[in-house]
Amino acid sequence: MTLQEIGAAAKQASVIMNRMTVNEKNAGLSAVAKALVANASRIIAANDKDIAEAKKNQMSEALLDRLRLTEERIEGMAEGIRQVVALADPVGEVISMKTTPSGLQIGQKRVPMGVIGIIYESRPNVTADAFALCFKTGNAVILRGGSDAIYSNTAICEVIREALQSEGLPADAIQVLQDTSRETAQEFMRLNQYMDLLIPRGGAGLIRTVVEKSTVPVIETGTGNCHIYVDESADIEMAVNIIVNAKTQRLGVCNACESLVIHEAVAKEAIPAICQALYEHQVEIRGDEIARQYDEKIVPATEEDFGKEYLDRIISMKVVPDIDAAIAHINTYNTGHSEAIITKDYGNSMRFLNEIDAAAVYVNASTRFTDGFEFGFGAEIGISTQKLHARGPMGLLALTSTKYIILGNGQIRK
Amino acid sequence: MTLQEIGAAAKQASVIMNRMTVNEKNAGLSAVAKALVANASRIIAANDKDIAEAKKNQMSEALLDRLRLTEERIEGMAEGIRQVVALADPVGEVISMKTTPSGLQIGQKRVPMGVIGIIYESRPNVTADAFALCFKTGNAVILRGGSDAIYSNTAICEVIREALQSEGLPADAIQVLQDTSRETAQEFMRLNQYMDLLIPRGGAGLIRTVVEKSTVPVIETGTGNCHIYVDESADIEMAVNIIVNAKTQRLGVCNACESLVIHEAVAKEAIPAICQALYEHQVEIRGDEIARQYDEKIVPATEEDFGKEYLDRIISMKVVPDIDAAIAHINTYNTGHSEAIITKDYGNSMRFLNEIDAAAVYVNASTRFTDGFEFGFGAEIGISTQKLHARGPMGLLALTSTKYIILGNGQIRK
């Protein structure tokens, strides 16, 4: 099939999906969850081919682990889909309806986007997760995964399509691009005729390419150079506790803390305490000149360090003279993801909340909470770091658009 | 100034603007309205240069009229700004705030976008209109108008900057690109480092170019191939009345009706009545074979006619066997703007509302109502025909983003 044909098939499926009731969508998702478990061995057999190929290409053990599917992981995928069944469907809600002076009733109704494209890297569980969220909101999805996971993704897609068909639902609600070449990916990013939204999920390079090349509207997800600012009035014990959690609770995630900003008035007390706690977790600290005066094991930071998302046991540290400098530093280097202040001062907490330009701004809490589940959305398609349409964790609502519905009885414009 | 410098200046202004109170913003806007009127002769003198240039280049009288500024039009610009003063500012509203089981308070707050770019064609009043809406929502704006209006736009911009400065507000809240070359426009569309949103306002060609070339998130505005479907059960008199209004009340607007779809069961009664009424307004009708059986003056329509936004005294007409064919025809040819059904049938009205894929879907009313003022927003920056972020008429709310604010007392993630 050509990309045009794939796009047309998705569009056609989306028209049928737009008419589906929540009961029908939930029945489809339940059938899919069941089918994934029932076909686990078939999916694992396909995954084995990807794993064999990846080993031949000397893939690292960490990446192999992300790629590998087991019965337990497939059960996890099915469980994720069952959780989506349990979520409320935002589609169909009429947000507001007003009557104009001439008697027109004007309302705004939530509707599916239509066709959503997702470009992602090697974790094959994204195939099932993304499908479930798109399906629940009445959107057809076209998935372009990495070549590393093509057998796994194709097998998962086939199982889902069969399950949908057996329920009398449109199989083209999900399609996986078989051609994983870069050329096809670039053509995919320009499929405006059929595609309403494109979401890249993956590393900074992938996201940059999609933003650069796509003519379809994009929601930029992810990279997080997240800061914690320890204010003059901070409770140092709380600061240490939150910093350790935000840096070490999980290293490779976008809401992990990558950068510390310390008010100089508390540097003497805070820096040794923070360093000691982080060293216990084998974290390397790269600090500026002033920071290094308080702990000799701090490695000198380069300019590049302050802008870096390490995703590793490394953190940068900057000492500032006041909150203005802290806000300026964070607004210069952050990636618009999650930023926290540790403070007892009301005025400074307000300034931080108002002036930091990011999707999620925290007072006295760990940046690790920026997550669709923690925010109570029940699921997440990604975390938006752009300001258009959706910002922060994206749940089902981010996959919907609106439409004005206007009910009249013959009104014309004067 | 280079584009980088312009971007950086706008960004810096946006930081200050983010801290401005509504009172400060309104004081700035009032000062601007006053200054525009006080400096009318200076603006008209600049406009005279554009007009002289345009005449030299044989600009058509219609376009000259769009370009021309008079005292009355400048008073109109000032009045538009005063109306924006009167509007409620959506910035700062906390849409929702919930407390999680661990005691975190998570809220979503409306915030300015930051820096907004606008690319537009020759009407210089857009300079003041767009500034006012952006300023009210705390956004700095960079305007790239056409070379035709460069003297007018620059003069308006200067007057606004002086007024802001006299109020102690940042002049860089508005900047007009002096270099109107295509190369600079293309570089402008890639100013992601500083610009959060780009809105093209103008013809289909301009919008296509911006969607094609921009890496900054875009809201596509405008073109409207709007349909009116006369259902089997339509009140024919109401249909005629609405069609005449939607086609002829104003010709050159995106919410004007460009295409009629007629159920064959009422063709015999409806077509002659519609034709007669439209002929009285000198409208040419281009119809399919079946339509032409009912009125010999109907010109044969080509495939191209059904997809065309005429913005002129021309309309296309298609006869369909049932509502399914009507919906399919409209969803094939529409541009996602405004579509109407004329019907007495409950089921068909519901199907039309649910299944037509457009920003505004009407039952028994003229498509001409799709407009920020008519919808009660008090102002309009354009009409979005895309599904991301904003769909339909865009008021102040469309120029805002949101930010999560999270208030804790030491919470860490388990």
Side-chain angles (χ1 to χ4, degrees):
Chain A
M1 276 173 96
T2 67
L3 267 183
Q4 291 292 317
E5 288 165 342
I6 291 168
K11 186 84 192 168
Q12 213 176 339
S14 79
V15 170
I16 300 168
M17 294 171 75
N18 180 46
R19 291 198 294 253
M20 278 164 31
T21 63
V22 183
N23 283 344
E24 286 169 323
K25 292 194 272 192
N26 285 344
L29 289 171
S30 298
V32 164
K34 215 167 145 186
L36 286 171
V37 175
N39 289 278
S41 58
R42 177 175 152 199
I43 294 168
I44 291 170
N47 183 247
D48 285 342
K49 286 203 229 176
D50 285 326
I51 293 285
E53 198 68 33
K55 281 184 175 163
K56 224 189 288 172
N57 298 330
Q58 264 100 47
M59 185 182 272
S60 74
E61 196 41 55
L63 285 180
L64 275 177
D65 182 60
R66 281 160 55 107
L67 179 56
R68 191 172 284 120
L69 290 175
T70 59
E71 284 213 13
E72 198 186 346
R73 287 188 176 177
I74 292 170
E75 175 48 47
M77 280 161 42
E79 181 50 31
I81 293 175
R82 283 182 218 116
Q83 284 171 11
V84 173
V85 170
L87 296 176
D89 178 4
V91 168
E93 185 191 357
V94 177
I95 307 165
S96 65
M97 185 165 260
K98 289 175 187 164
T99 303
T100 69
S102 67
L104 275 183
Q105 293 181 68
I106 303 184
Q108 200 178 14
K109 188 175 179 177
R110 291 202 198 285
V111 296
M113 277 282 169
V115 177
I116 297 177
I118 303 201
I119 299 189
Y120 57 116
E121 288 167 344
S122 62
R123 283 168 53 202
N125 62 315
V126 170
T127 311
D129 290 357
F131 157 75
L133 295 172
C134 291
F135 192 81
K136 180 82 185 206
T137 43
N139 295 293
V141 67
I142 306 174
L143 297 151
R144 193 277 187 187
S147 55
D148 294 343
I150 185 69
Y151 291 111
S152 314
N153 291 338
T154 302
I156 293 167
C157 178
E158 277 171 9
V159 169
I160 294 174
R161 290 173 61 93
E162 288 165 17
L164 292 176
Q165 245 157 349
S166 74
E167 291 288 309
L169 298 169
D172 290 330
I174 178 170
Q175 294 178 88
V176 164
L177 295 192
Q178 291 301 308
D179 177 353
T180 57
S181 69
R182 187 177 297 192
E183 294 68 37
T184 301
Q186 297 204 356
E187 204 191 319
F188 181 52
M189 295 177 208
R190 305 174 63 84
L191 211 58
N192 297 52
Q193 192 189 347
Y194 300 112
M195 209 152 57
D196 298 289
L197 170 62
L198 183 59
I199 304 176
R201 285 183 58 168
L206 169 71
I207 290 162
R208 209 163 30 236
T209 303
V210 173
V211 168
E212 185 72 19
K213 302 288 183 188
S214 178
T215 50
V216 174
V218 167
I219 297 182
E220 213 175 315
T221 63
T223 55
N225 178 22
C226 304
H227 294 73
I228 293 177
Y229 166 56
V230 181
D231 190 31
E232 190 173 8
S233 67
D235 174 331
I236 303 300
E237 197 185 323
M238 184 194 283
V240 171
N241 205 17
I242 287 174
I243 289 167
V244 169
N245 180 260
K247 178 70 235 179
T248 71
Q249 196 248 356
R250 210 168 147 200
L251 290 170
V253 291
C254 58
N255 57 18
C257 177
E258 304 287 9
S259 212
L260 299 174
V261 182
I262 316 282
H263 193 291
E264 66 180 4
V266 289
K268 197 176 166 186
E269 188 192 349
I271 293 178
I274 293 166
C275 289
Q276 195 196 327
L278 288 174
Y279 294 150
E280 281 171 21
H281 289 85
Q282 294 80 49
V283 175
E284 173 184 319
I285 301 169
R286 300 187 183 169
D288 65 4
E289 280 305 305
I290 308 176
R292 294 183 62 226
Q293 292 170 13
Y294 299 100
D295 185 294
E296 56 183 14
K297 282 192 285 174
I298 295 177
V299 177
T302 62
E303 173 72 15
E304 203 198 340
D305 278 306
F306 295 119
K308 201 144 181 189
E309 186 190 26
Y310 297 112
L311 301 172
D312 201 351
R313 292 188 187 279
I314 311 172
I315 199 164
S316 71
M317 184 184 279
K318 168 92 184 167
V319 177
V320 293
D322 51 35
I323 189 171
D324 296 271
I327 291 171
H329 178 83
I330 294 171
N331 279 342
T332 303
Y333 292 102
N334 85 356
T335 52
H337 200 293
S338 301
E339 315 298 329
I341 183 174
I342 315 297
T343 191
K344 288 179 191 159
D345 186 89
Y346 171 76
N348 288 353
S349 73
M350 287 296 123
R351 283 200 58 196
F352 197 85
L353 287 170
N354 289 335
E355 296 178 29
I356 291 292
D357 191 15
V361 189
Y362 290 81
V363 180
N364 295 338
S366 170
T367 55
R368 286 280 293 116
F369 286 103
T370 306
D371 175 294
F373 295 90
E374 294 291 335
F375 276 28
F377 303 156
E380 180 188 292
I381 191 89
I383 294 173
S384 164
T385 53
Q386 75 178 29
K387 295 185 188 170
L388 205 70
H389 184 70
R391 196 178 191 199
M394 296 187 286
L396 292 173
L397 202 58
L399 300 179
T400 67
S401 179
T402 59
K403 162 203 270 188
Y404 283 101
I405 54 175
I406 302 102
L407 312 180
N409 48 16
Q411 281 84 351
I412 59 170
R413 187 153 168 195
K414 308 288 177 201
Chain B
M1 275 173 96
T2 66
L3 267 184
Q4 291 292 317
E5 290 165 340
I6 291 169
K11 185 85 192 167
Q12 214 177 336
S14 79
V15 170
I16 301 167
M17 295 171 75
N18 180 48
R19 292 197 293 254
M20 279 163 32
T21 63
V22 183
N23 283 344
E24 287 169 322
K25 293 193 275 191
N26 285 344
L29 288 171
S30 298
V32 165
K34 215 167 144 187
L36 286 171
V37 175
N39 290 278
S41 58
R42 175 173 154 202
I43 293 168
I44 291 170
N47 183 248
D48 285 343
K49 287 204 228 174
D50 284 326
I51 294 284
E53 198 70 31
K55 281 183 177 162
K56 223 188 291 170
N57 298 328
Q58 263 100 51
M59 186 182 271
S60 74
E61 196 41 57
L63 285 179
L64 275 176
D65 182 60
R66 281 160 56 107
L67 178 57
R68 190 171 286 119
L69 290 175
T70 60
E71 285 214 15
E72 196 188 348
R73 286 188 177 178
I74 291 170
E75 175 49 48
M77 278 162 42
E79 181 49 31
I81 292 175
R82 283 181 219 117
Q83 284 171 9
V84 173
V85 170
L87 295 177
D89 178 5
V91 168
E93 184 192 358
V94 177
I95 307 165
S96 65
M97 184 165 262
K98 288 176 188 163
T99 304
T100 69
S102 67
L104 277 181
Q105 293 181 71
I106 302 183
Q108 199 177 14
K109 188 175 179 177
R110 291 201 200 285
V111 297
M113 276 282 168
V115 177
I116 298 177
I118 304 203
I119 299 189
Y120 57 116
E121 288 167 342
S122 62
R123 283 168 53 201
N125 62 316
V126 171
T127 311
D129 290 358
F131 156 76
L133 295 173
C134 290
F135 191 81
K136 179 84 185 203
T137 44
N139 295 294
V141 68
I142 307 174
L143 297 153
R144 192 276 186 188
S147 55
D148 293 343
I150 186 68
Y151 291 110
S152 314
N153 291 339
T154 301
I156 294 167
C157 178
E158 277 172 8
V159 169
I160 294 175
R161 289 173 61 95
E162 289 165 15
L164 292 176
Q165 245 157 350
S166 74
E167 290 289 310
L169 298 170
D172 289 330
I174 178 170
Q175 293 177 89
V176 164
L177 295 192
Q178 291 302 307
D179 176 353
T180 57
S181 70
R182 186 177 297 193
E183 295 67 38
T184 300
Q186 296 204 356
E187 205 192 319
F188 181 53
M189 296 178 208
R190 305 174 63 84
L191 210 58
N192 297 54
Q193 193 190 345
Y194 300 111
M195 210 153 56
D196 298 288
L197 171 61
L198 183 58
I199 303 177
R201 284 183 60 166
L206 169 71
I207 290 161
R208 209 163 30 235
T209 303
V210 173
V211 167
E212 185 72 21
K213 303 285 183 193
S214 177
T215 52
V216 173
V218 167
I219 298 182
E220 211 175 317
T221 63
T223 54
N225 178 22
C226 305
H227 295 73
I228 294 177
Y229 166 55
V230 181
D231 190 33
E232 190 174 5
S233 67
D235 175 329
I236 303 300
E237 196 185 323
M238 182 193 287
V240 170
N241 204 17
I242 287 174
I243 289 167
V244 169
N245 181 260
K247 178 71 237 179
T248 69
Q249 196 249 355
R250 209 167 147 202
L251 289 171
V253 290
C254 56
N255 57 17
C257 178
E258 304 287 10
S259 212
L260 299 174
V261 182
I262 315 283
H263 192 292
E264 65 178 5
V266 290
K268 198 176 164 182
E269 187 192 351
I271 293 178
I274 293 165
C275 290
Q276 194 197 325
L278 288 174
Y279 294 150
E280 283 169 20
H281 290 84
Q282 295 78 50
V283 176
E284 174 184 318
I285 302 168
R286 300 187 184 169
D288 65 3
E289 280 305 304
I290 307 175
R292 296 182 61 226
Q293 292 170 13
Y294 299 101
D295 186 294
E296 56 186 10
K297 282 192 285 175
I298 295 178
V299 177
T302 63
E303 173 70 16
E304 204 197 341
D305 279 305
F306 295 119
K308 201 143 182 191
E309 186 188 25
Y310 297 111
L311 302 171
D312 201 353
R313 293 189 187 276
I314 312 172
I315 199 165
S316 71
M317 184 184 281
K318 167 93 183 168
V319 177
V320 293
D322 51 36
I323 188 171
D324 296 271
I327 291 172
H329 178 83
I330 294 171
N331 279 342
T332 302
Y333 292 101
N334 85 354
T335 53
H337 201 293
S338 302
E339 314 299 329
I341 182 175
I342 314 300
T343 190
K344 289 179 191 159
D345 186 89
Y346 170 75
N348 288 353
S349 74
M350 288 296 123
R351 283 200 58 195
F352 197 85
L353 286 170
N354 290 333
E355 296 177 29
I356 290 293
D357 191 16
V361 188
Y362 290 81
V363 179
N364 295 339
S366 170
T367 55
R368 285 280 294 118
F369 286 104
T370 305
D371 175 294
F373 295 90
E374 293 291 335
F375 276 28
F377 304 156
E380 178 189 293
I381 190 88
I383 294 172
S384 164
T385 53
Q386 73 180 28
K387 295 185 189 173
L388 207 70
H389 186 72
R391 197 178 191 198
M394 295 188 287
L396 292 172
L397 200 58
L399 300 179
T400 68
S401 179
T402 59
K403 162 203 271 189
Y404 282 100
I405 54 176
I406 302 104
L407 312 179
N409 48 16
Q411 282 84 350
I412 58 170
R413 187 152 167 197
K414 307 291 179 199

